[in-house]
Amino acid sequence: MRPDIVTFWHGPLDALRLLCLRSQVAMGHKVTVYSFDPLAQLPDGVGNAEAEAILPHSFAERLRPTGPDGVWRDWTTLQFSDFFRMRLMARAAGLWLDADVLLKKPVEIDPAKPYFAWERPRQLGNSVLYLPPGDPIVAAFASLIQQDELTPDWLALRHRLTFMLRKLRGYRRLSDVRVAIYGPAALTALARRAGELRYALPKKSFYAVHAEPKLFFEPRDISALTGDPDIIGFHISPKGRGNTAPVPGSLYAWAAERFGA
């Protein structure tokens, strides 16, 4: 089955992410971006839906309080999106792709089975994620979100000890301690507990350039990346380079030529 694609975004979209959204549409997917404010200049074929109906804006206060101006601080958006994608899974909304996932080919899933890939040797990525609504991982997040302190029961012992020590120093929230505690680390721990690691695709399926952005932004021989049939897409993680111009000879330039406006 070729699923609908869903994601969440807070703030303006940069040129790279607009390119990635165009690639998702070009591969034949219906794409919807959830946001709290209307998003301008979305590519043709990309819908914009209200995020408040999925997870209220106020939930961010349980992660990290905003400043006096109400602006989300530090990694609030990242942690909020970790919960948001699980809420979408509970609603059977579709396949989650981060807005910086560039598709090279269509994604096909079995709606009865999880869909994700290894990001690192011992860690799953959650930038590409589908879970059936009744999956144990979805249920674990549904239970967690009811807690005031948002402290998972799947934390590794070292993370529990770290949190205990930090609480003695005045930390109130687990979200103050570890930026990705609800993201890939959580997905990996829960998939292991549920016996679902066997569903994980190889790292290169989506994360061939994730750890080395230069493979995407700098000129080089890209034939191994563009010609590999096992690479479905690229999670890019631009780290501040989302509005830089593509350099000729780079994978970015190849993508811009293929999916550019």
PDB file of all heavy atoms in Angstrom, residues 2-3 5 17-31 43-46 97 101-108 232 254-261:
ATOM      1  N   ARG A   2       0.503   2.218  -0.835  1.00  0.00           N
ATOM      2  CA  ARG A   2       1.211   3.496  -0.846  1.00  0.00           C
ATOM      3  C   ARG A   2       0.478   4.446   0.114  1.00  0.00           C
ATOM      4  O   ARG A   2      -0.610   4.928  -0.180  1.00  0.00           O
ATOM      5  CB  ARG A   2       1.246   4.075  -2.256  1.00  0.00           C
ATOM      6  CG  ARG A   2       2.117   5.326  -2.380  1.00  0.00           C
ATOM      7  CD  ARG A   2       2.305   5.730  -3.828  1.00  0.00           C
ATOM      8  NE  ARG A   2       2.921   4.666  -4.602  1.00  0.00           N
ATOM      9  CZ  ARG A   2       3.234   4.755  -5.893  1.00  0.00           C
ATOM     10  NH1 ARG A   2       2.964   5.882  -6.559  1.00  0.00           N
ATOM     11  NH2 ARG A   2       3.796   3.736  -6.520  1.00  0.00           N
ATOM     12  N   PRO A   3       1.058   4.748   1.275  1.00  0.00           N
ATOM     13  CA  PRO A   3       0.333   5.486   2.302  1.00  0.00           C
ATOM     14  C   PRO A   3       0.330   6.997   2.076  1.00  0.00           C
ATOM     15  O   PRO A   3       1.152   7.540   1.335  1.00  0.00           O
ATOM     16  CB  PRO A   3       1.122   5.155   3.570  1.00  0.00           C
ATOM     17  CG  PRO A   3       2.537   5.020   3.056  1.00  0.00           C
ATOM     18  CD  PRO A   3       2.412   4.363   1.705  1.00  0.00           C
ATOM     19  N   ILE A   5       1.257  10.616   3.515  1.00  0.00           N
ATOM     20  CA  ILE A   5       2.385  11.071   4.316  1.00  0.00           C
ATOM     21  C   ILE A   5       1.933  12.239   5.184  1.00  0.00           C
ATOM     22  O   ILE A   5       1.229  13.143   4.713  1.00  0.00           O
ATOM     23  CB  ILE A   5       3.560  11.500   3.414  1.00  0.00           C
ATOM     24  CG1 ILE A   5       4.196  10.259   2.777  1.00  0.00           C
ATOM     25  CG2 ILE A   5       4.614  12.281   4.204  1.00  0.00           C
ATOM     26  CD1 ILE A   5       5.262  10.577   1.750  1.00  0.00           C
ATOM     27  N   ARG A  17      13.419  22.004   2.772  1.00  0.00           N
ATOM     28  CA  ARG A  17      12.249  21.232   3.200  1.00  0.00           C
ATOM     29  C   ARG A  17      11.109  21.346   2.189  1.00  0.00           C
ATOM     30  O   ARG A  17      10.364  20.380   1.982  1.00  0.00           O
ATOM     31  CB  ARG A  17      11.837  21.669   4.598  1.00  0.00           C
ATOM     32  CG  ARG A  17      12.855  21.194   5.649  1.00  0.00           C
ATOM     33  CD  ARG A  17      12.564  21.700   7.036  1.00  0.00           C
ATOM     34  NE  ARG A  17      13.456  21.057   8.013  1.00  0.00           N
ATOM     35  CZ  ARG A  17      14.673  21.494   8.323  1.00  0.00           C
ATOM     36  NH1 ARG A  17      15.157  22.576   7.722  1.00  0.00           N
ATOM     37  NH2 ARG A  17      15.409  20.861   9.227  1.00  0.00           N
ATOM     38  N   LEU A  18      10.976  22.469   1.547  1.00  0.00           N
ATOM     39  CA  LEU A  18       9.990  22.578   0.473  1.00  0.00           C
ATOM     40  C   LEU A  18      10.341  21.625  -0.666  1.00  0.00           C
ATOM     41  O   LEU A  18       9.462  21.007  -1.274  1.00  0.00           O
ATOM     42  CB  LEU A  18       9.917  24.022  -0.028  1.00  0.00           C
ATOM     43  CG  LEU A  18       9.334  25.037   0.963  1.00  0.00           C
ATOM     44  CD1 LEU A  18       9.465  26.460   0.407  1.00  0.00           C
ATOM     45  CD2 LEU A  18       7.874  24.733   1.274  1.00  0.00           C
ATOM     46  N   LEU A  19      11.632  21.509  -0.957  1.00  0.00           N
ATOM     47  CA  LEU A  19      12.081  20.564  -1.982  1.00  0.00           C
ATOM     48  C   LEU A  19      11.742  19.127  -1.584  1.00  0.00           C
ATOM     49  O   LEU A  19      11.267  18.336  -2.411  1.00  0.00           O
ATOM     50  CB  LEU A  19      13.591  20.713  -2.191  1.00  0.00           C
ATOM     51  CG  LEU A  19      14.240  19.765  -3.205  1.00  0.00           C
ATOM     52  CD1 LEU A  19      13.748  20.064  -4.616  1.00  0.00           C
ATOM     53  CD2 LEU A  19      15.766  19.866  -3.134  1.00  0.00           C
ATOM     54  N   CYS A  20      11.966  18.795  -0.317  1.00  0.00           N
ATOM     55  CA  CYS A  20      11.664  17.439   0.158  1.00  0.00           C
ATOM     56  C   CYS A  20      10.167  17.148   0.059  1.00  0.00           C
ATOM     57  O   CYS A  20       9.765  16.049  -0.353  1.00  0.00           O
ATOM     58  CB  CYS A  20      12.145  17.279   1.599  1.00  0.00           C
ATOM     59  SG  CYS A  20      13.941  17.238   1.780  1.00  0.00           S
ATOM     60  N   LEU A  21       9.338  18.118   0.397  1.00  0.00           N
ATOM     61  CA  LEU A  21       7.890  17.920   0.280  1.00  0.00           C
ATOM     62  C   LEU A  21       7.493  17.702  -1.174  1.00  0.00           C
ATOM     63  O   LEU A  21       6.641  16.864  -1.477  1.00  0.00           O
ATOM     64  CB  LEU A  21       7.152  19.125   0.865  1.00  0.00           C
ATOM     65  CG  LEU A  21       7.255  19.313   2.384  1.00  0.00           C
ATOM     66  CD1 LEU A  21       6.628  20.645   2.798  1.00  0.00           C
ATOM     67  CD2 LEU A  21       6.597  18.155   3.125  1.00  0.00           C
ATOM     68  N   ARG A  22       8.135  18.423  -2.092  1.00  0.00           N
ATOM     69  CA  ARG A  22       7.841  18.225  -3.516  1.00  0.00           C
ATOM     70  C   ARG A  22       8.227  16.825  -3.965  1.00  0.00           C
ATOM     71  O   ARG A  22       7.539  16.210  -4.792  1.00  0.00           O
ATOM     72  CB  ARG A  22       8.563  19.284  -4.360  1.00  0.00           C
ATOM     73  CG  ARG A  22       7.916  20.658  -4.309  1.00  0.00           C
ATOM     74  CD  ARG A  22       8.406  21.547  -5.449  1.00  0.00           C
ATOM     75  NE  ARG A  22       9.794  21.918  -5.280  1.00  0.00           N
ATOM     76  CZ  ARG A  22      10.215  22.992  -4.611  1.00  0.00           C
ATOM     77  NH1 ARG A  22       9.331  23.793  -4.019  1.00  0.00           N
ATOM     78  NH2 ARG A  22      11.499  23.267  -4.512  1.00  0.00           N
ATOM     79  N   SER A  23       9.324  16.318  -3.413  1.00  0.00           N
ATOM     80  CA  SER A  23       9.740  14.956  -3.789  1.00  0.00           C
ATOM     81  C   SER A  23       8.718  13.934  -3.318  1.00  0.00           C
ATOM     82  O   SER A  23       8.459  12.940  -4.007  1.00  0.00           O
ATOM     83  CB  SER A  23      11.124  14.644  -3.201  1.00  0.00           C
ATOM     84  OG  SER A  23      11.061  14.343  -1.815  1.00  0.00           O
ATOM     85  N   GLN A  24       8.134  14.151  -2.172  1.00  0.00           N
ATOM     86  CA  GLN A  24       7.138  13.224  -1.639  1.00  0.00           C
ATOM     87  C   GLN A  24       5.879  13.217  -2.498  1.00  0.00           C
ATOM     88  O   GLN A  24       5.300  12.162  -2.778  1.00  0.00           O
ATOM     89  CB  GLN A  24       6.823  13.598  -0.186  1.00  0.00           C
ATOM     90  CG  GLN A  24       8.021  13.468   0.744  1.00  0.00           C
ATOM     91  CD  GLN A  24       7.808  14.107   2.100  1.00  0.00           C
ATOM     92  OE1 GLN A  24       6.674  14.387   2.511  1.00  0.00           O
ATOM     93  NE2 GLN A  24       8.886  14.364   2.830  1.00  0.00           N
ATOM     94  N   VAL A  25       5.471  14.385  -2.950  1.00  0.00           N
ATOM     95  CA  VAL A  25       4.317  14.479  -3.852  1.00  0.00           C
ATOM     96  C   VAL A  25       4.640  13.827  -5.190  1.00  0.00           C
ATOM     97  O   VAL A  25       3.826  13.100  -5.772  1.00  0.00           O
ATOM     98  CB  VAL A  25       3.903  15.955  -4.049  1.00  0.00           C
ATOM     99  CG1 VAL A  25       2.829  16.069  -5.128  1.00  0.00           C
ATOM    100  CG2 VAL A  25       3.395  16.545  -2.742  1.00  0.00           C
ATOM    101  N   ALA A  26       5.855  14.074  -5.675  1.00  0.00           N
ATOM    102  CA  ALA A  26       6.266  13.528  -6.973  1.00  0.00           C
ATOM    103  C   ALA A  26       6.265  12.004  -6.973  1.00  0.00           C
ATOM    104  O   ALA A  26       6.084  11.384  -8.032  1.00  0.00           O
ATOM    105  CB  ALA A  26       7.653  14.053  -7.343  1.00  0.00           C
ATOM    106  N   MET A  27       6.439  11.401  -5.809  1.00  0.00           N
ATOM    107  CA  MET A  27       6.430   9.944  -5.715  1.00  0.00           C
ATOM    108  C   MET A  27       5.012   9.380  -5.576  1.00  0.00           C
ATOM    109  O   MET A  27       4.826   8.189  -5.346  1.00  0.00           O
ATOM    110  CB  MET A  27       7.289   9.484  -4.544  1.00  0.00           C
ATOM    111  CG  MET A  27       8.782   9.748  -4.722  1.00  0.00           C
ATOM    112  SD  MET A  27       9.478   8.943  -6.198  1.00  0.00           S
ATOM    113  CE  MET A  27       9.692  10.361  -7.270  1.00  0.00           C
ATOM    114  N   GLY A  28       4.022  10.232  -5.726  1.00  0.00           N
ATOM    115  CA  GLY A  28       2.644   9.763  -5.750  1.00  0.00           C
ATOM    116  C   GLY A  28       1.939   9.713  -4.412  1.00  0.00           C
ATOM    117  O   GLY A  28       0.851   9.134  -4.305  1.00  0.00           O
ATOM    118  N   HIS A  29       2.509  10.344  -3.398  1.00  0.00           N
ATOM    119  CA  HIS A  29       1.896  10.334  -2.070  1.00  0.00           C
ATOM    120  C   HIS A  29       1.038  11.585  -1.852  1.00  0.00           C
ATOM    121  O   HIS A  29       1.392  12.675  -2.303  1.00  0.00           O
ATOM    122  CB  HIS A  29       2.969  10.274  -0.983  1.00  0.00           C
ATOM    123  CG  HIS A  29       3.744   9.004  -0.960  1.00  0.00           C
ATOM    124  ND1 HIS A  29       3.299   7.874  -0.317  1.00  0.00           N
ATOM    125  CD2 HIS A  29       4.945   8.689  -1.515  1.00  0.00           C
ATOM    126  CE1 HIS A  29       4.193   6.909  -0.468  1.00  0.00           C
ATOM    127  NE2 HIS A  29       5.207   7.374  -1.185  1.00  0.00           N
ATOM    128  N   LYS A  30      -0.053  11.414  -1.134  1.00  0.00           N
ATOM    129  CA  LYS A  30      -0.785  12.559  -0.594  1.00  0.00           C
ATOM    130  C   LYS A  30      -0.033  13.025   0.645  1.00  0.00           C
ATOM    131  O   LYS A  30       0.277  12.227   1.532  1.00  0.00           O
ATOM    132  CB  LYS A  30      -2.206  12.157  -0.224  1.00  0.00           C
ATOM    133  CG  LYS A  30      -3.010  13.279   0.417  1.00  0.00           C
ATOM    134  CD  LYS A  30      -4.387  12.799   0.870  1.00  0.00           C
ATOM    135  CE  LYS A  30      -5.139  13.918   1.597  1.00  0.00           C
ATOM    136  NZ  LYS A  30      -6.455  13.449   2.111  1.00  0.00           N
ATOM    137  N   VAL A  31       0.276  14.321   0.732  1.00  0.00           N
ATOM    138  CA  VAL A  31       1.122  14.840   1.801  1.00  0.00           C
ATOM    139  C   VAL A  31       0.366  15.912   2.580  1.00  0.00           C
ATOM    140  O   VAL A  31      -0.224  16.831   1.991  1.00  0.00           O
ATOM    141  CB  VAL A  31       2.429  15.437   1.239  1.00  0.00           C
ATOM    142  CG1 VAL A  31       3.309  15.972   2.364  1.00  0.00           C
ATOM    143  CG2 VAL A  31       3.180  14.395   0.406  1.00  0.00           C
ATOM    144  N   PRO A  43       4.170  23.616  -1.519  1.00  0.00           N
ATOM    145  CA  PRO A  43       4.159  23.103  -2.897  1.00  0.00           C
ATOM    146  C   PRO A  43       2.778  22.586  -3.285  1.00  0.00           C
ATOM    147  O   PRO A  43       1.979  22.180  -2.426  1.00  0.00           O
ATOM    148  CB  PRO A  43       5.177  21.957  -2.846  1.00  0.00           C
ATOM    149  CG  PRO A  43       6.041  22.243  -1.669  1.00  0.00           C
ATOM    150  CD  PRO A  43       5.157  22.911  -0.672  1.00  0.00           C
ATOM    151  N   ASP A  44       2.498  22.591  -4.573  1.00  0.00           N
ATOM    152  CA  ASP A  44       1.245  22.021  -5.071  1.00  0.00           C
ATOM    153  C   ASP A  44       1.140  20.569  -4.622  1.00  0.00           C
ATOM    154  O   ASP A  44       2.108  19.805  -4.697  1.00  0.00           O
ATOM    155  CB  ASP A  44       1.199  22.094  -6.602  1.00  0.00           C
ATOM    156  CG  ASP A  44       1.080  23.517  -7.113  1.00  0.00           C
ATOM    157  OD1 ASP A  44       0.701  24.405  -6.320  1.00  0.00           O
ATOM    158  OD2 ASP A  44       1.375  23.733  -8.308  1.00  0.00           O
ATOM    159  N   GLY A  45      -0.027  20.196  -4.160  1.00  0.00           N
ATOM    160  CA  GLY A  45      -0.254  18.829  -3.728  1.00  0.00           C
ATOM    161  C   GLY A  45       0.010  18.578  -2.255  1.00  0.00           C
ATOM    162  O   GLY A  45      -0.220  17.469  -1.766  1.00  0.00           O
ATOM    163  N   VAL A  46       0.477  19.596  -1.532  1.00  0.00           N
ATOM    164  CA  VAL A  46       0.738  19.462  -0.094  1.00  0.00           C
ATOM    165  C   VAL A  46      -0.358  20.188   0.670  1.00  0.00           C
ATOM    166  O   VAL A  46      -0.570  21.388   0.480  1.00  0.00           O
ATOM    167  CB  VAL A  46       2.114  20.031   0.299  1.00  0.00           C
ATOM    168  CG1 VAL A  46       2.325  19.926   1.807  1.00  0.00           C
ATOM    169  CG2 VAL A  46       3.220  19.307  -0.445  1.00  0.00           C
ATOM    170  N   LEU A  97       6.830  11.216   7.831  1.00  0.00           N
ATOM    171  CA  LEU A  97       8.156  11.553   7.324  1.00  0.00           C
ATOM    172  C   LEU A  97       8.526  12.926   7.863  1.00  0.00           C
ATOM    173  O   LEU A  97       7.726  13.863   7.781  1.00  0.00           O
ATOM    174  CB  LEU A  97       8.184  11.614   5.791  1.00  0.00           C
ATOM    175  CG  LEU A  97       7.988  10.338   4.982  1.00  0.00           C
ATOM    176  CD1 LEU A  97       8.217  10.623   3.500  1.00  0.00           C
ATOM    177  CD2 LEU A  97       8.910   9.219   5.445  1.00  0.00           C
ATOM    178  N   VAL A 101      12.971  14.776   4.774  1.00  0.00           N
ATOM    179  CA  VAL A 101      13.181  13.477   4.129  1.00  0.00           C
ATOM    180  C   VAL A 101      12.878  13.625   2.635  1.00  0.00           C
ATOM    181  O   VAL A 101      11.747  13.926   2.248  1.00  0.00           O
ATOM    182  CB  VAL A 101      12.299  12.384   4.745  1.00  0.00           C
ATOM    183  CG1 VAL A 101      12.408  11.097   3.930  1.00  0.00           C
ATOM    184  CG2 VAL A 101      12.701  12.122   6.186  1.00  0.00           C
ATOM    185  N   LEU A 102      13.889  13.433   1.824  1.00  0.00           N
ATOM    186  CA  LEU A 102      13.758  13.502   0.370  1.00  0.00           C
ATOM    187  C   LEU A 102      13.517  12.094  -0.161  1.00  0.00           C
ATOM    188  O   LEU A 102      14.312  11.190   0.099  1.00  0.00           O
ATOM    189  CB  LEU A 102      15.043  14.074  -0.238  1.00  0.00           C
ATOM    190  CG  LEU A 102      15.043  14.244  -1.754  1.00  0.00           C
ATOM    191  CD1 LEU A 102      14.578  15.642  -2.132  1.00  0.00           C
ATOM    192  CD2 LEU A 102      16.434  13.982  -2.324  1.00  0.00           C
ATOM    193  N   LEU A 103      12.429  11.904  -0.887  1.00  0.00           N
ATOM    194  CA  LEU A 103      12.131  10.579  -1.427  1.00  0.00           C
ATOM    195  C   LEU A 103      12.728  10.404  -2.819  1.00  0.00           C
ATOM    196  O   LEU A 103      12.625  11.291  -3.666  1.00  0.00           O
ATOM    197  CB  LEU A 103      10.625  10.344  -1.492  1.00  0.00           C
ATOM    198  CG  LEU A 103       9.910  10.046  -0.174  1.00  0.00           C
ATOM    199  CD1 LEU A 103       8.463   9.667  -0.443  1.00  0.00           C
ATOM    200  CD2 LEU A 103      10.614   8.953   0.622  1.00  0.00           C
ATOM    201  N   LYS A 104      13.319   9.235  -3.017  1.00  0.00           N
ATOM    202  CA  LYS A 104      13.864   8.874  -4.324  1.00  0.00           C
ATOM    203  C   LYS A 104      12.909   7.959  -5.074  1.00  0.00           C
ATOM    204  O   LYS A 104      12.943   7.872  -6.299  1.00  0.00           O
ATOM    205  CB  LYS A 104      15.221   8.191  -4.127  1.00  0.00           C
ATOM    206  CG  LYS A 104      16.081   8.137  -5.382  1.00  0.00           C
ATOM    207  CD  LYS A 104      17.393   7.434  -5.109  1.00  0.00           C
ATOM    208  CE  LYS A 104      17.165   5.930  -5.000  1.00  0.00           C
ATOM    209  NZ  LYS A 104      18.422   5.151  -5.155  1.00  0.00           N
ATOM    210  N   LYS A 105      12.078   7.249  -4.317  1.00  0.00           N
ATOM    211  CA  LYS A 105      11.093   6.336  -4.887  1.00  0.00           C
ATOM    212  C   LYS A 105       9.890   6.278  -3.950  1.00  0.00           C
ATOM    213  O   LYS A 105       9.991   6.687  -2.790  1.00  0.00           O
ATOM    214  CB  LYS A 105      11.713   4.945  -5.082  1.00  0.00           C
ATOM    215  CG  LYS A 105      12.281   4.344  -3.830  1.00  0.00           C
ATOM    216  CD  LYS A 105      13.200   3.158  -4.100  1.00  0.00           C
ATOM    217  CE  LYS A 105      12.458   1.959  -4.641  1.00  0.00           C
ATOM    218  NZ  LYS A 105      13.313   0.749  -4.713  1.00  0.00           N
ATOM    219  N   PRO A 106       8.751   5.783  -4.401  1.00  0.00           N
ATOM    220  CA  PRO A 106       7.585   5.707  -3.528  1.00  0.00           C
ATOM    221  C   PRO A 106       7.826   4.757  -2.346  1.00  0.00           C
ATOM    222  O   PRO A 106       8.614   3.822  -2.435  1.00  0.00           O
ATOM    223  CB  PRO A 106       6.484   5.160  -4.445  1.00  0.00           C
ATOM    224  CG  PRO A 106       6.964   5.421  -5.833  1.00  0.00           C
ATOM    225  CD  PRO A 106       8.457   5.338  -5.775  1.00  0.00           C
ATOM    226  N   VAL A 107       7.118   5.022  -1.253  1.00  0.00           N
ATOM    227  CA  VAL A 107       7.176   4.154  -0.082  1.00  0.00           C
ATOM    228  C   VAL A 107       5.960   3.234  -0.100  1.00  0.00           C
ATOM    229  O   VAL A 107       4.827   3.699  -0.271  1.00  0.00           O
ATOM    230  CB  VAL A 107       7.186   4.970   1.224  1.00  0.00           C
ATOM    231  CG1 VAL A 107       7.231   4.033   2.432  1.00  0.00           C
ATOM    232  CG2 VAL A 107       8.363   5.934   1.252  1.00  0.00           C
ATOM    233  N   GLU A 108       6.202   1.963   0.081  1.00  0.00           N
ATOM    234  CA  GLU A 108       5.118   0.984   0.168  1.00  0.00           C
ATOM    235  C   GLU A 108       5.165   0.327   1.541  1.00  0.00           C
ATOM    236  O   GLU A 108       6.238  -0.079   1.997  1.00  0.00           O
ATOM    237  CB  GLU A 108       5.278  -0.088  -0.923  1.00  0.00           C
ATOM    238  CG  GLU A 108       5.293   0.453  -2.345  1.00  0.00           C
ATOM    239  CD  GLU A 108       3.926   0.926  -2.832  1.00  0.00           C
ATOM    240  OE1 GLU A 108       2.915   0.545  -2.196  1.00  0.00           O
ATOM    241  OE2 GLU A 108       3.883   1.662  -3.840  1.00  0.00           O
ATOM    242  N   ILE A 232      15.591   4.248  -0.544  1.00  0.00           N
ATOM    243  CA  ILE A 232      14.241   4.747  -0.820  1.00  0.00           C
ATOM    244  C   ILE A 232      14.204   6.261  -0.730  1.00  0.00           C
ATOM    245  O   ILE A 232      13.489   6.931  -1.487  1.00  0.00           O
ATOM    246  CB  ILE A 232      13.237   4.115   0.170  1.00  0.00           C
ATOM    247  CG1 ILE A 232      13.298   2.587   0.072  1.00  0.00           C
ATOM    248  CG2 ILE A 232      11.811   4.617  -0.083  1.00  0.00           C
ATOM    249  CD1 ILE A 232      12.591   1.873   1.209  1.00  0.00           C
ATOM    250  N   TRP A 254      21.408  17.564  -7.637  1.00  0.00           N
ATOM    251  CA  TRP A 254      20.659  16.514  -8.352  1.00  0.00           C
ATOM    252  C   TRP A 254      19.193  16.549  -7.952  1.00  0.00           C
ATOM    253  O   TRP A 254      18.296  16.466  -8.794  1.00  0.00           O
ATOM    254  CB  TRP A 254      21.275  15.164  -8.026  1.00  0.00           C
ATOM    255  CG  TRP A 254      20.481  13.984  -8.499  1.00  0.00           C
ATOM    256  CD1 TRP A 254      20.527  13.390  -9.731  1.00  0.00           C
ATOM    257  CD2 TRP A 254      19.504  13.241  -7.736  1.00  0.00           C
ATOM    258  NE1 TRP A 254      19.650  12.334  -9.793  1.00  0.00           N
ATOM    259  CE2 TRP A 254      19.005  12.210  -8.589  1.00  0.00           C
ATOM    260  CE3 TRP A 254      19.017  13.339  -6.447  1.00  0.00           C
ATOM    261  CZ2 TRP A 254      18.044  11.307  -8.158  1.00  0.00           C
ATOM    262  CZ3 TRP A 254      18.062  12.439  -6.018  1.00  0.00           C
ATOM    263  CH2 TRP A 254      17.575  11.434  -6.875  1.00  0.00           C
ATOM    264  N   ALA A 255      18.921  16.669  -6.662  1.00  0.00           N
ATOM    265  CA  ALA A 255      17.544  16.691  -6.164  1.00  0.00           C
ATOM    266  C   ALA A 255      16.816  17.947  -6.626  1.00  0.00           C
ATOM    267  O   ALA A 255      15.641  17.905  -7.003  1.00  0.00           O
ATOM    268  CB  ALA A 255      17.542  16.603  -4.647  1.00  0.00           C
ATOM    269  N   ALA A 256      17.514  19.088  -6.611  1.00  0.00           N
ATOM    270  CA  ALA A 256      16.894  20.359  -7.026  1.00  0.00           C
ATOM    271  C   ALA A 256      16.507  20.294  -8.507  1.00  0.00           C
ATOM    272  O   ALA A 256      15.469  20.813  -8.906  1.00  0.00           O
ATOM    273  CB  ALA A 256      17.836  21.507  -6.765  1.00  0.00           C
ATOM    274  N   GLU A 257      17.364  19.686  -9.310  1.00  0.00           N
ATOM    275  CA  GLU A 257      17.052  19.564 -10.732  1.00  0.00           C
ATOM    276  C   GLU A 257      15.866  18.620 -10.968  1.00  0.00           C
ATOM    277  O   GLU A 257      15.024  18.847 -11.822  1.00  0.00           O
ATOM    278  CB  GLU A 257      18.277  19.048 -11.484  1.00  0.00           C
ATOM    279  CG  GLU A 257      18.048  18.906 -12.993  1.00  0.00           C
ATOM    280  CD  GLU A 257      19.288  18.442 -13.736  1.00  0.00           C
ATOM    281  OE1 GLU A 257      20.340  18.260 -13.100  1.00  0.00           O
ATOM    282  OE2 GLU A 257      19.197  18.256 -14.976  1.00  0.00           O
ATOM    283  N   ARG A 258      15.778  17.584 -10.148  1.00  0.00           N
ATOM    284  CA  ARG A 258      14.722  16.593 -10.323  1.00  0.00           C
ATOM    285  C   ARG A 258      13.379  17.051  -9.761  1.00  0.00           C
ATOM    286  O   ARG A 258      12.339  16.800 -10.352  1.00  0.00           O
ATOM    287  CB  ARG A 258      15.145  15.291  -9.642  1.00  0.00           C
ATOM    288  CG  ARG A 258      14.197  14.129  -9.898  1.00  0.00           C
ATOM    289  CD  ARG A 258      14.702  12.843  -9.275  1.00  0.00           C
ATOM    290  NE  ARG A 258      13.824  11.722  -9.583  1.00  0.00           N
ATOM    291  CZ  ARG A 258      13.884  10.532  -9.020  1.00  0.00           C
ATOM    292  NH1 ARG A 258      14.808  10.295  -8.099  1.00  0.00           N
ATOM    293  NH2 ARG A 258      13.039   9.582  -9.351  1.00  0.00           N
ATOM    294  N   PHE A 259      13.426  17.739  -8.597  1.00  0.00           N
ATOM    295  CA  PHE A 259      12.175  18.078  -7.916  1.00  0.00           C
ATOM    296  C   PHE A 259      11.961  19.573  -7.739  1.00  0.00           C
ATOM    297  O   PHE A 259      10.991  19.979  -7.079  1.00  0.00           O
ATOM    298  CB  PHE A 259      12.145  17.422  -6.527  1.00  0.00           C
ATOM    299  CG  PHE A 259      12.279  15.930  -6.548  1.00  0.00           C
ATOM    300  CD1 PHE A 259      13.398  15.323  -5.967  1.00  0.00           C
ATOM    301  CD2 PHE A 259      11.319  15.132  -7.137  1.00  0.00           C
ATOM    302  CE1 PHE A 259      13.539  13.950  -5.974  1.00  0.00           C
ATOM    303  CE2 PHE A 259      11.448  13.752  -7.153  1.00  0.00           C
ATOM    304  CZ  PHE A 259      12.561  13.155  -6.574  1.00  0.00           C
ATOM    305  N   GLY A 260      12.851  20.394  -8.268  1.00  0.00           N
ATOM    306  CA  GLY A 260      12.738  21.827  -8.073  1.00  0.00           C
ATOM    307  C   GLY A 260      11.458  22.404  -8.632  1.00  0.00           C
ATOM    308  O   GLY A 260      10.799  21.798  -9.493  1.00  0.00           O
ATOM    309  N   ALA A 261      11.117  23.601  -8.127  1.00  0.00           N
ATOM    310  CA  ALA A 261       9.861  24.242  -8.555  1.00  0.00           C
ATOM    311  C   ALA A 261       9.946  24.602 -10.033  1.00  0.00           C
ATOM    312  O   ALA A 261      11.012  24.913 -10.561  1.00  0.00           O
ATOM    313  CB  ALA A 261       9.625  25.490  -7.724  1.00  0.00           C
TER     314      ALA A 261
END
